[in-house]
Amino acid sequence: KNQVEQSPQSLIILEGKNCTLQCNYTVSPFSNLRWYKQDTGRGPVSLTIMTFSENTKSNGRYTATLDADTKQSSLHITASQLSDSASYICVVSDGSNYQLIWGAGTKLIIKP
Amino acid sequence: GAVVSQHPSWVICKSGTSVKIECRSLDFQATTMFWYRQFPKQSLMLMATSNEGSKATYEQGVEKDKFLINHASLTLSTLTVTSAHPEDSSFYICSARPSLNTEAFFGQGTRLTVV
C-alpha cells in the first residue's frame, strides 16, 4: 500500500535554531517527492520537488534530501524564523498514475 | 511560480443551501484540477479529480451528487456543495497542474462553515 509517513508529528524550537523533519515512503513506482509548507488556513506552497536522481535540493534556508534506495527524505531548516511556523507536508507522486500521496505533516512551531 | 486563484476564501451558509467554490489557473492551462478537503489538524484528503470536458473522478466515499464538480474550461473548475449540512464544514482546497508530472499549484483554500 502506498504510504507516506512523517516524523515528528509536531516540533517546537527556538528562533534561530536548526531543525530536520523526516519523511519515509513506500510509494512504488516512484515519480517525485515534494515538500510543501502550509500556513494555518492557507493552501500549501511548494518548497522543493525532487526526482529519483536528485539527492539534495535547496530553496533558501530549506534543504531537502532524498535517498531513493531507503525511501527516505528529510527537510532541513536553517536559522529558523518565526515565519517558519507552519505545517510541513511531504508528498510523493506515484509513478504509475501521478497521484499524489500525502503525508500527515509535521507541525512546526518557532518560539522567540 | 504559477498562480491558482480560489474564491471565495471563506463562506458561511445555512443548512440546506448550496455553495459554489471556484478555482482558476491564472497563467497556465490545466486539463486536470484536483479538489481536496482538510479537517483541522489533518492533512489534505483528495476528494475528486476534475477533468476538462469530461466527468470528474471521485475518490471512494465522496458523494458525487453532493459535491458537484464542473470543469468548464482549461482554466476554471467549480465545486458545488449541495444541500450543505454542518458536517460539510471544512477547508476546501483546489490544485492545478500544467501536466500530470509537473509541479502542483494550490489555491488559497475556502473555509466553509454551515450553520
Side-chain angles (χ1 to χ4, degrees):
Chain A
K1 181 181 177 182
N2 286 337
Q3 284 187 316
V4 176
E5 294 184 350
Q6 292 186 242
S7 62
Q9 190 174 34
S10 62
L11 181 63
I12 301 174
I13 64 172
L14 292 175
E15 185 180 11
K17 298 296 185 181
N18 304 335
C19 66
T20 301
L21 314 180
Q22 301 292 339
C23 173
N24 298 332
Y25 62 93
T26 58
V27 179
S28 182
F30 172 89
S31 176
N32 56 61
L33 184 144
R34 310 146 185 246
W35 282 95
Y36 288 93
K37 177 186 179 186
Q38 185 180 22
D39 294 311
T40 301
R42 306 287 293 178
V45 174
S46 177
L47 296 176
T48 63
I49 177 170
M50 290 185 292
T51 60
F52 185 88
S53 59
E54 296 175 293
N55 301 120
T56 303
K57 183 165 279 191
S58 292
N59 178 357
R61 294 179 296 102
Y62 301 102
T63 299
T65 66
L66 173 64
D67 185 334
D69 292 331
T70 62
K71 297 187 177 181
Q72 296 179 326
S73 175
S74 66
L75 180 69
H76 186 75
I77 303 175
T78 304
S80 61
Q81 300 176 358
L82 297 178
S83 59
D84 292 333
S85 294
S87 288
Y88 291 84
I89 310 172
C90 175
V91 184
V92 179
S93 177
D94 184 318
S96 62
N97 57 17
Y98 302 110
Q99 185 174 10
L100 298 183
I101 313 299
W102 292 77
T106 292
K107 184 170 178 62
L108 176 64
I109 298 173
I110 310 298
K111 288 198 168 183
Chain B
V3 178
V4 173
S5 175
Q6 191 173 336
H7 178 81
S9 56
W10 62 271
V11 58
I12 302 173
C13 71
K14 291 184 178 180
S15 288
T17 61
S18 296
V19 174
K20 180 185 285 189
I21 303 170
E22 290 188 350
C23 179
R24 294 181 184 271
S25 57
L26 298 186
D27 49 4
F28 66 95
Q29 293 184 333
T31 55
T32 305
M33 291 186 177
F34 304 85
W35 287 97
Y36 294 86
R37 185 172 180 176
Q38 187 176 32
F39 291 104
K41 299 183 180 180
Q42 294 186 24
S43 192
L44 279 68
M45 290 173 37
L46 180 65
M47 296 175 65
T49 302
S50 168
N51 304 298
E52 188 268 337
S54 64
K55 292 183 178 180
T57 304
Y58 290 82
E59 295 299 301
Q60 192 172 8
V62 178
E63 300 176 56
K64 62 180 181 180
D65 294 330
K66 180 167 185 63
F67 298 100
L68 300 179
I69 291 173
N70 183 280
H71 198 142
S73 73
L74 288 172
T75 58
L76 173 64
S77 175
T78 60
L79 169 68
T80 301
V81 183
T82 62
S83 187
H85 290 110
E87 56 265 30
D88 297 325
S89 298
S90 188
F91 192 56
Y92 294 87
I93 305 174
C94 73
S95 168
R97 301 190 233 178
S99 60
L100 276 180
N101 201 27
T102 58
E103 183 59 78
F105 301 97
F106 291 83
Q108 61 268 47
T110 297
R111 170 72 60 193
L112 170 63
T113 302
V114 184
V115 297

mmCIF file of all heavy atoms in Angstrom, chain A residues 56-106:
data_model
loop_
_atom_site.group_PDB
_atom_site.id
_atom_site.type_symbol
_atom_site.label_atom_id
_atom_site.label_comp_id
_atom_site.label_asym_id
_atom_site.label_seq_id
_atom_site.Cartn_x
_atom_site.Cartn_y
_atom_site.Cartn_z
ATOM 1 N N THR A 56 19.784 16.128 -3.309
ATOM 2 C CA THR A 56 19.635 17.319 -2.483
ATOM 3 C C THR A 56 19.082 18.466 -3.316
ATOM 4 O O THR A 56 19.451 18.607 -4.487
ATOM 5 C CB THR A 56 20.994 17.765 -1.906
ATOM 6 O OG1 THR A 56 21.569 16.692 -1.168
ATOM 7 C CG2 THR A 56 20.828 18.961 -0.979
ATOM 8 N N LYS A 57 18.217 19.235 -2.694
ATOM 9 C CA LYS A 57 17.718 20.441 -3.364
ATOM 10 C C LYS A 57 17.454 21.494 -2.305
ATOM 11 O O LYS A 57 16.865 21.194 -1.264
ATOM 12 C CB LYS A 57 16.456 20.141 -4.164
ATOM 13 C CG LYS A 57 15.940 21.341 -4.933
ATOM 14 C CD LYS A 57 14.940 20.951 -5.976
ATOM 15 C CE LYS A 57 15.606 20.436 -7.219
ATOM 16 N NZ LYS A 57 14.672 20.281 -8.355
ATOM 17 N N SER A 58 17.910 22.691 -2.593
ATOM 18 C CA SER A 58 17.761 23.776 -1.624
ATOM 19 C C SER A 58 16.856 24.866 -2.137
ATOM 20 O O SER A 58 16.759 25.102 -3.348
ATOM 21 C CB SER A 58 19.134 24.383 -1.291
ATOM 22 O OG SER A 58 19.929 23.461 -0.580
ATOM 23 N N ASN A 59 16.198 25.522 -1.210
ATOM 24 C CA ASN A 59 15.351 26.674 -1.508
ATOM 25 C C ASN A 59 15.534 27.632 -0.341
ATOM 26 O O ASN A 59 14.847 27.550 0.670
ATOM 27 C CB ASN A 59 13.897 26.227 -1.637
ATOM 28 C CG ASN A 59 12.961 27.397 -1.907
ATOM 29 O OD1 ASN A 59 13.381 28.554 -1.943
ATOM 30 N ND2 ASN A 59 11.694 27.094 -2.091
ATOM 31 N N GLY A 60 16.510 28.505 -0.488
ATOM 32 C CA GLY A 60 16.809 29.434 0.611
ATOM 33 C C GLY A 60 17.305 28.674 1.832
ATOM 34 O O GLY A 60 18.264 27.904 1.760
ATOM 35 N N ARG A 61 16.626 28.867 2.949
ATOM 36 C CA ARG A 61 17.044 28.197 4.185
ATOM 37 C C ARG A 61 16.499 26.771 4.291
ATOM 38 O O ARG A 61 16.732 26.084 5.280
ATOM 39 C CB ARG A 61 16.572 29.021 5.382
ATOM 40 C CG ARG A 61 17.247 30.387 5.501
ATOM 41 C CD ARG A 61 16.733 31.182 6.703
ATOM 42 N NE ARG A 61 15.319 31.507 6.568
ATOM 43 C CZ ARG A 61 14.345 30.863 7.198
ATOM 44 N NH1 ARG A 61 14.629 29.860 8.031
ATOM 45 N NH2 ARG A 61 13.091 31.222 7.019
ATOM 46 N N TYR A 62 15.773 26.339 3.286
ATOM 47 C CA TYR A 62 15.222 24.981 3.275
ATOM 48 C C TYR A 62 16.096 24.093 2.382
ATOM 49 O O TYR A 62 16.367 24.450 1.242
ATOM 50 C CB TYR A 62 13.794 24.977 2.719
ATOM 51 C CG TYR A 62 12.821 25.830 3.491
ATOM 52 C CD1 TYR A 62 12.438 27.084 3.017
ATOM 53 C CD2 TYR A 62 12.270 25.385 4.685
ATOM 54 C CE1 TYR A 62 11.536 27.859 3.719
ATOM 55 C CE2 TYR A 62 11.359 26.157 5.391
ATOM 56 C CZ TYR A 62 11.006 27.389 4.894
ATOM 57 O OH TYR A 62 10.105 28.164 5.594
ATOM 58 N N THR A 63 16.499 22.944 2.917
ATOM 59 C CA THR A 63 17.261 21.974 2.135
ATOM 60 C C THR A 63 16.610 20.611 2.281
ATOM 61 O O THR A 63 16.472 20.105 3.405
ATOM 62 C CB THR A 63 18.720 21.897 2.591
ATOM 63 O OG1 THR A 63 19.334 23.178 2.414
ATOM 64 C CG2 THR A 63 19.486 20.864 1.754
ATOM 65 N N ALA A 64 16.223 20.042 1.161
ATOM 66 C CA ALA A 64 15.612 18.712 1.172
ATOM 67 C C ALA A 64 16.616 17.698 0.669
ATOM 68 O O ALA A 64 17.415 17.988 -0.229
ATOM 69 C CB ALA A 64 14.358 18.701 0.314
ATOM 70 N N THR A 65 16.590 16.515 1.252
ATOM 71 C CA THR A 65 17.427 15.414 0.786
ATOM 72 C C THR A 65 16.535 14.239 0.430
ATOM 73 O O THR A 65 15.425 14.095 0.950
ATOM 74 C CB THR A 65 18.433 14.965 1.857
ATOM 75 O OG1 THR A 65 17.711 14.410 2.966
ATOM 76 C CG2 THR A 65 19.290 16.130 2.333
ATOM 77 N N LEU A 66 17.024 13.423 -0.456
ATOM 78 C CA LEU A 66 16.274 12.243 -0.877
ATOM 79 C C LEU A 66 17.216 11.055 -1.011
ATOM 80 O O LEU A 66 18.248 11.154 -1.676
ATOM 81 C CB LEU A 66 15.570 12.495 -2.216
ATOM 82 C CG LEU A 66 14.881 11.295 -2.861
ATOM 83 C CD1 LEU A 66 13.741 10.793 -1.985
ATOM 84 C CD2 LEU A 66 14.374 11.644 -4.255
ATOM 85 N N ASP A 67 16.870 9.960 -0.364
ATOM 86 C CA ASP A 67 17.574 8.689 -0.540
ATOM 87 C C ASP A 67 16.558 7.714 -1.122
ATOM 88 O O ASP A 67 15.739 7.144 -0.410
ATOM 89 C CB ASP A 67 18.115 8.185 0.797
ATOM 90 C CG ASP A 67 18.968 6.934 0.649
ATOM 91 O OD1 ASP A 67 18.758 6.171 -0.344
ATOM 92 O OD2 ASP A 67 19.824 6.692 1.496
ATOM 93 N N ALA A 68 16.625 7.544 -2.433
ATOM 94 C CA ALA A 68 15.638 6.707 -3.113
ATOM 95 C C ALA A 68 15.825 5.228 -2.785
ATOM 96 O O ALA A 68 14.881 4.440 -2.926
ATOM 97 C CB ALA A 68 15.717 6.925 -4.621
ATOM 98 N N ASP A 69 17.015 4.856 -2.362
ATOM 99 C CA ASP A 69 17.257 3.453 -2.013
ATOM 100 C C ASP A 69 16.544 3.066 -0.721
ATOM 101 O O ASP A 69 15.919 2.011 -0.637
ATOM 102 C CB ASP A 69 18.759 3.200 -1.866
ATOM 103 C CG ASP A 69 19.487 3.298 -3.193
ATOM 104 O OD1 ASP A 69 18.859 3.007 -4.235
ATOM 105 O OD2 ASP A 69 20.670 3.683 -3.206
ATOM 106 N N THR A 70 16.658 3.927 0.272
ATOM 107 C CA THR A 70 15.996 3.656 1.552
ATOM 108 C C THR A 70 14.599 4.274 1.617
ATOM 109 O O THR A 70 13.884 4.082 2.587
ATOM 110 C CB THR A 70 16.827 4.202 2.721
ATOM 111 O OG1 THR A 70 16.949 5.624 2.586
ATOM 112 C CG2 THR A 70 18.212 3.566 2.752
ATOM 113 N N LYS A 71 14.237 5.018 0.591
ATOM 114 C CA LYS A 71 12.919 5.663 0.511
ATOM 115 C C LYS A 71 12.706 6.600 1.696
ATOM 116 O O LYS A 71 11.683 6.533 2.401
ATOM 117 C CB LYS A 71 11.813 4.613 0.408
ATOM 118 C CG LYS A 71 11.924 3.773 -0.854
ATOM 119 C CD LYS A 71 10.737 2.852 -1.040
ATOM 120 C CE LYS A 71 10.870 2.095 -2.365
ATOM 121 N NZ LYS A 71 9.738 1.186 -2.636
ATOM 122 N N GLN A 72 13.699 7.457 1.878
ATOM 123 C CA GLN A 72 13.628 8.433 2.954
ATOM 124 C C GLN A 72 13.972 9.807 2.414
ATOM 125 O O GLN A 72 14.793 9.950 1.501
ATOM 126 C CB GLN A 72 14.600 8.065 4.078
ATOM 127 C CG GLN A 72 14.268 6.756 4.775
ATOM 128 C CD GLN A 72 15.270 6.420 5.861
ATOM 129 O OE1 GLN A 72 16.452 6.725 5.747
ATOM 130 N NE2 GLN A 72 14.785 5.803 6.939
ATOM 131 N N SER A 73 13.342 10.793 3.029
ATOM 132 C CA SER A 73 13.640 12.177 2.684
ATOM 133 C C SER A 73 13.661 12.987 3.969
ATOM 134 O O SER A 73 13.044 12.607 4.977
ATOM 135 C CB SER A 73 12.586 12.737 1.730
ATOM 136 O OG SER A 73 12.807 14.105 1.473
ATOM 137 N N SER A 74 14.377 14.077 3.933
ATOM 138 C CA SER A 74 14.393 14.975 5.081
ATOM 139 C C SER A 74 14.311 16.410 4.586
ATOM 140 O O SER A 74 14.688 16.716 3.452
ATOM 141 C CB SER A 74 15.662 14.780 5.922
ATOM 142 O OG SER A 74 16.802 15.171 5.184
ATOM 143 N N LEU A 75 13.795 17.253 5.438
ATOM 144 C CA LEU A 75 13.757 18.697 5.163
ATOM 145 C C LEU A 75 14.469 19.385 6.312
ATOM 146 O O LEU A 75 14.050 19.273 7.458
ATOM 147 C CB LEU A 75 12.319 19.200 5.051
ATOM 148 C CG LEU A 75 12.185 20.694 4.765
ATOM 149 C CD1 LEU A 75 12.673 21.015 3.355
ATOM 150 C CD2 LEU A 75 10.740 21.169 4.946
ATOM 151 N N HIS A 76 15.559 20.072 5.984
ATOM 152 C CA HIS A 76 16.347 20.764 6.987
ATOM 153 C C HIS A 76 16.089 22.255 6.885
ATOM 154 O O HIS A 76 16.159 22.822 5.788
ATOM 155 C CB HIS A 76 17.837 20.467 6.774
ATOM 156 C CG HIS A 76 18.711 21.021 7.848
ATOM 157 N ND1 HIS A 76 18.813 20.477 9.100
ATOM 158 C CD2 HIS A 76 19.517 22.115 7.843
ATOM 159 C CE1 HIS A 76 19.652 21.183 9.833
ATOM 160 N NE2 HIS A 76 20.098 22.186 9.105
ATOM 161 N N ILE A 77 15.770 22.840 8.006
ATOM 162 C CA ILE A 77 15.537 24.285 8.052
ATOM 163 C C ILE A 77 16.657 24.915 8.874
ATOM 164 O O ILE A 77 16.904 24.528 10.025
ATOM 165 C CB ILE A 77 14.170 24.612 8.688
ATOM 166 C CG1 ILE A 77 13.052 23.901 7.922
ATOM 167 C CG2 ILE A 77 13.923 26.122 8.677
ATOM 168 C CD1 ILE A 77 11.673 24.051 8.532
ATOM 169 N N THR A 78 17.311 25.862 8.257
ATOM 170 C CA THR A 78 18.461 26.513 8.893
ATOM 171 C C THR A 78 18.069 27.873 9.448
ATOM 172 O O THR A 78 17.285 28.594 8.838
ATOM 173 C CB THR A 78 19.584 26.702 7.859
ATOM 174 O OG1 THR A 78 19.905 25.427 7.296
ATOM 175 C CG2 THR A 78 20.819 27.306 8.488
ATOM 176 N N ALA A 79 18.611 28.183 10.616
ATOM 177 C CA ALA A 79 18.396 29.506 11.222
ATOM 178 C C ALA A 79 16.923 29.878 11.208
ATOM 179 O O ALA A 79 16.517 30.856 10.570
ATOM 180 C CB ALA A 79 19.237 30.550 10.500
ATOM 181 N N SER A 80 16.133 29.107 11.915
ATOM 182 C CA SER A 80 14.675 29.253 11.839
ATOM 183 C C SER A 80 14.208 30.662 12.205
ATOM 184 O O SER A 80 14.826 31.365 13.024
ATOM 185 C CB SER A 80 14.017 28.233 12.766
ATOM 186 O OG SER A 80 14.419 28.443 14.105
ATOM 187 N N GLN A 81 13.098 31.034 11.585
ATOM 188 C CA GLN A 81 12.472 32.326 11.835
ATOM 189 C C GLN A 81 11.037 32.090 12.285
ATOM 190 O O GLN A 81 10.457 31.037 12.044
ATOM 191 C CB GLN A 81 12.505 33.177 10.562
ATOM 192 C CG GLN A 81 13.894 33.446 10.043
ATOM 193 C CD GLN A 81 13.904 34.205 8.737
ATOM 194 O OE1 GLN A 81 12.860 34.525 8.171
ATOM 195 N NE2 GLN A 81 15.104 34.519 8.251
ATOM 196 N N LEU A 82 10.481 33.092 12.939
ATOM 197 C CA LEU A 82 9.108 32.961 13.433
ATOM 198 C C LEU A 82 8.139 32.617 12.299
ATOM 199 O O LEU A 82 7.175 31.870 12.492
ATOM 200 C CB LEU A 82 8.662 34.240 14.137
ATOM 201 C CG LEU A 82 9.444 34.614 15.401
ATOM 202 C CD1 LEU A 82 8.931 35.934 15.966
ATOM 203 C CD2 LEU A 82 9.356 33.514 16.453
ATOM 204 N N SER A 83 8.420 33.126 11.114
ATOM 205 C CA SER A 83 7.544 32.884 9.970
ATOM 206 C C SER A 83 7.624 31.445 9.453
ATOM 207 O O SER A 83 6.835 31.050 8.590
ATOM 208 C CB SER A 83 7.888 33.842 8.828
ATOM 209 O OG SER A 83 9.244 33.672 8.444
ATOM 210 N N ASP A 84 8.568 30.690 9.978
ATOM 211 C CA ASP A 84 8.653 29.276 9.576
ATOM 212 C C ASP A 84 7.609 28.425 10.284
ATOM 213 O O ASP A 84 7.411 27.258 9.934
ATOM 214 C CB ASP A 84 10.050 28.714 9.894
ATOM 215 C CG ASP A 84 11.149 29.312 9.040
ATOM 216 O OD1 ASP A 84 10.851 29.741 7.904
ATOM 217 O OD2 ASP A 84 12.303 29.373 9.518
ATOM 218 N N SER A 85 6.947 28.993 11.273
ATOM 219 C CA SER A 85 5.887 28.246 11.973
ATOM 220 C C SER A 85 4.790 27.887 10.975
ATOM 221 O O SER A 85 4.167 28.761 10.373
ATOM 222 C CB SER A 85 5.302 29.096 13.114
ATOM 223 O OG SER A 85 6.260 29.321 14.120
ATOM 224 N N ALA A 86 4.576 26.586 10.795
ATOM 225 C CA ALA A 86 3.617 26.106 9.791
ATOM 226 C C ALA A 86 3.612 24.586 9.848
ATOM 227 O O ALA A 86 4.346 23.979 10.624
ATOM 228 C CB ALA A 86 4.026 26.576 8.389
ATOM 229 N N SER A 87 2.782 24.000 9.013
ATOM 230 C CA SER A 87 2.831 22.548 8.814
ATOM 231 C C SER A 87 3.655 22.265 7.568
ATOM 232 O O SER A 87 3.508 22.961 6.560
ATOM 233 C CB SER A 87 1.424 21.976 8.654
ATOM 234 O OG SER A 87 0.739 21.978 9.874
ATOM 235 N N TYR A 88 4.502 21.266 7.653
ATOM 236 C CA TYR A 88 5.340 20.886 6.521
ATOM 237 C C TYR A 88 4.922 19.488 6.078
ATOM 238 O O TYR A 88 4.926 18.547 6.882
ATOM 239 C CB TYR A 88 6.822 20.928 6.915
ATOM 240 C CG TYR A 88 7.278 22.352 7.144
ATOM 241 C CD1 TYR A 88 7.066 22.977 8.374
ATOM 242 C CD2 TYR A 88 7.858 23.096 6.124
ATOM 243 C CE1 TYR A 88 7.441 24.294 8.586
ATOM 244 C CE2 TYR A 88 8.240 24.416 6.334
ATOM 245 C CZ TYR A 88 8.020 25.001 7.562
ATOM 246 O OH TYR A 88 8.390 26.304 7.760
ATOM 247 N N ILE A 89 4.556 19.399 4.829
ATOM 248 C CA ILE A 89 3.952 18.181 4.326
ATOM 249 C C ILE A 89 4.827 17.561 3.249
ATOM 250 O O ILE A 89 5.258 18.256 2.322
ATOM 251 C CB ILE A 89 2.551 18.440 3.761
ATOM 252 C CG1 ILE A 89 1.700 19.234 4.771
ATOM 253 C CG2 ILE A 89 1.856 17.121 3.423
ATOM 254 C CD1 ILE A 89 0.382 19.706 4.234
ATOM 255 N N CYS A 90 5.076 16.280 3.397
ATOM 256 C CA CYS A 90 5.830 15.508 2.405
ATOM 257 C C CYS A 90 4.826 14.807 1.492
ATOM 258 O O CYS A 90 3.866 14.180 1.975
ATOM 259 C CB CYS A 90 6.713 14.497 3.127
ATOM 260 S SG CYS A 90 7.624 13.359 2.068
ATOM 261 N N VAL A 91 5.014 14.923 0.208
ATOM 262 C CA VAL A 91 4.076 14.355 -0.757
ATOM 263 C C VAL A 91 4.868 13.589 -1.813
ATOM 264 O O VAL A 91 5.833 14.107 -2.366
ATOM 265 C CB VAL A 91 3.249 15.458 -1.448
ATOM 266 C CG1 VAL A 91 2.218 14.841 -2.381
ATOM 267 C CG2 VAL A 91 2.575 16.353 -0.417
ATOM 268 N N VAL A 92 4.456 12.372 -2.083
ATOM 269 C CA VAL A 92 5.152 11.554 -3.081
ATOM 270 C C VAL A 92 4.209 11.287 -4.245
ATOM 271 O O VAL A 92 3.047 10.939 -4.050
ATOM 272 C CB VAL A 92 5.637 10.222 -2.475
ATOM 273 C CG1 VAL A 92 6.347 9.381 -3.535
ATOM 274 C CG2 VAL A 92 6.584 10.489 -1.308
ATOM 275 N N SER A 93 4.731 11.455 -5.437
ATOM 276 C CA SER A 93 3.940 11.224 -6.641
ATOM 277 C C SER A 93 4.125 9.789 -7.103
ATOM 278 O O SER A 93 5.251 9.326 -7.299
ATOM 279 C CB SER A 93 4.363 12.205 -7.737
ATOM 280 O OG SER A 93 3.642 11.951 -8.929
ATOM 281 N N ASP A 94 3.009 9.092 -7.277
ATOM 282 C CA ASP A 94 3.018 7.715 -7.762
ATOM 283 C C ASP A 94 3.357 7.710 -9.244
ATOM 284 O O ASP A 94 2.705 8.386 -10.038
ATOM 285 C CB ASP A 94 1.624 7.118 -7.522
ATOM 286 C CG ASP A 94 1.530 5.653 -7.903
ATOM 287 O OD1 ASP A 94 2.078 5.260 -8.950
ATOM 288 O OD2 ASP A 94 0.882 4.891 -7.165
ATOM 289 N N GLY A 95 4.379 6.968 -9.618
ATOM 290 C CA GLY A 95 4.838 6.978 -10.996
ATOM 291 C C GLY A 95 3.915 6.286 -11.973
ATOM 292 O O GLY A 95 4.066 6.448 -13.184
ATOM 293 N N SER A 96 2.942 5.528 -11.488
ATOM 294 C CA SER A 96 2.045 4.826 -12.408
ATOM 295 C C SER A 96 0.877 5.700 -12.831
ATOM 296 O O SER A 96 0.407 5.625 -13.965
ATOM 297 C CB SER A 96 1.525 3.542 -11.763
ATOM 298 O OG SER A 96 0.767 3.846 -10.597
ATOM 299 N N ASN A 97 0.384 6.534 -11.936
ATOM 300 C CA ASN A 97 -0.770 7.373 -12.263
ATOM 301 C C ASN A 97 -0.585 8.827 -11.845
ATOM 302 O O ASN A 97 -1.496 9.633 -12.013
ATOM 303 C CB ASN A 97 -2.039 6.811 -11.601
ATOM 304 C CG ASN A 97 -1.895 6.684 -10.093
ATOM 305 O OD1 ASN A 97 -1.006 7.288 -9.497
ATOM 306 N ND2 ASN A 97 -2.758 5.899 -9.481
ATOM 307 N N TYR A 98 0.609 9.150 -11.313
ATOM 308 C CA TYR A 98 0.952 10.511 -10.885
ATOM 309 C C TYR A 98 0.022 11.033 -9.800
ATOM 310 O O TYR A 98 -0.066 12.229 -9.581
ATOM 311 C CB TYR A 98 1.002 11.466 -12.073
ATOM 312 C CG TYR A 98 2.013 11.002 -13.102
ATOM 313 C CD1 TYR A 98 1.604 10.513 -14.328
ATOM 314 C CD2 TYR A 98 3.372 11.014 -12.808
ATOM 315 C CE1 TYR A 98 2.529 10.059 -15.246
ATOM 316 C CE2 TYR A 98 4.303 10.554 -13.728
ATOM 317 C CZ TYR A 98 3.875 10.079 -14.953
ATOM 318 O OH TYR A 98 4.791 9.624 -15.869
ATOM 319 N N GLN A 99 -0.634 10.133 -9.108
ATOM 320 C CA GLN A 99 -1.445 10.548 -7.970
ATOM 321 C C GLN A 99 -0.510 10.966 -6.846
ATOM 322 O O GLN A 99 0.559 10.382 -6.637
ATOM 323 C CB GLN A 99 -2.344 9.398 -7.502
ATOM 324 C CG GLN A 99 -3.308 9.771 -6.398
ATOM 325 C CD GLN A 99 -4.279 8.663 -6.071
ATOM 326 O OE1 GLN A 99 -4.135 7.544 -6.526
ATOM 327 N NE2 GLN A 99 -5.286 8.972 -5.271
ATOM 328 N N LEU A 100 -0.917 12.007 -6.126
ATOM 329 C CA LEU A 100 -0.103 12.494 -5.016
ATOM 330 C C LEU A 100 -0.511 11.773 -3.740
ATOM 331 O O LEU A 100 -1.683 11.743 -3.371
ATOM 332 C CB LEU A 100 -0.297 14.008 -4.851
ATOM 333 C CG LEU A 100 0.123 14.870 -6.041
ATOM 334 C CD1 LEU A 100 -0.063 16.345 -5.707
ATOM 335 C CD2 LEU A 100 1.554 14.590 -6.450
ATOM 336 N N ILE A 101 0.471 11.196 -3.063
ATOM 337 C CA ILE A 101 0.258 10.521 -1.787
ATOM 338 C C ILE A 101 0.766 11.455 -0.689
ATOM 339 O O ILE A 101 1.954 11.783 -0.657
ATOM 340 C CB ILE A 101 1.001 9.175 -1.722
ATOM 341 C CG1 ILE A 101 0.756 8.363 -3.009
ATOM 342 C CG2 ILE A 101 0.568 8.396 -0.491
ATOM 343 C CD1 ILE A 101 -0.680 8.017 -3.284
ATOM 344 N N TRP A 102 -0.128 11.845 0.194
ATOM 345 C CA TRP A 102 0.172 12.883 1.181
ATOM 346 C C TRP A 102 0.576 12.301 2.523
ATOM 347 O O TRP A 102 -0.034 11.359 3.027
ATOM 348 C CB TRP A 102 -1.061 13.775 1.375
ATOM 349 C CG TRP A 102 -1.379 14.588 0.180
ATOM 350 C CD1 TRP A 102 -1.984 14.177 -0.972
ATOM 351 C CD2 TRP A 102 -1.093 15.978 -0.001
ATOM 352 N NE1 TRP A 102 -2.091 15.224 -1.844
ATOM 353 C CE2 TRP A 102 -1.564 16.336 -1.280
ATOM 354 C CE3 TRP A 102 -0.497 16.956 0.808
ATOM 355 C CZ2 TRP A 102 -1.436 17.632 -1.793
ATOM 356 C CZ3 TRP A 102 -0.388 18.244 0.312
ATOM 357 C CH2 TRP A 102 -0.845 18.566 -0.969
ATOM 358 N N GLY A 103 1.608 12.891 3.110
ATOM 359 C CA GLY A 103 1.916 12.609 4.499
ATOM 360 C C GLY A 103 1.002 13.431 5.390
ATOM 361 O O GLY A 103 0.307 14.338 4.920
ATOM 362 N N ALA A 104 0.986 13.104 6.671
ATOM 363 C CA ALA A 104 0.113 13.809 7.617
ATOM 364 C C ALA A 104 0.685 15.156 8.023
ATOM 365 O O ALA A 104 -0.029 15.980 8.602
ATOM 366 C CB ALA A 104 -0.117 12.949 8.844
ATOM 367 N N GLY A 105 1.953 15.382 7.723
ATOM 368 C CA GLY A 105 2.560 16.674 8.031
ATOM 369 C C GLY A 105 3.233 16.720 9.387
ATOM 370 O O GLY A 105 2.934 15.930 10.285
ATOM 371 N N THR A 106 4.162 17.641 9.505
ATOM 372 C CA THR A 106 4.801 17.965 10.795
ATOM 373 C C THR A 106 4.454 19.402 11.117
ATOM 374 O O THR A 106 4.711 20.302 10.315
ATOM 375 C CB THR A 106 6.322 17.811 10.728
ATOM 376 O OG1 THR A 106 6.661 16.440 10.573
ATOM 377 C CG2 THR A 106 6.971 18.359 11.997
#
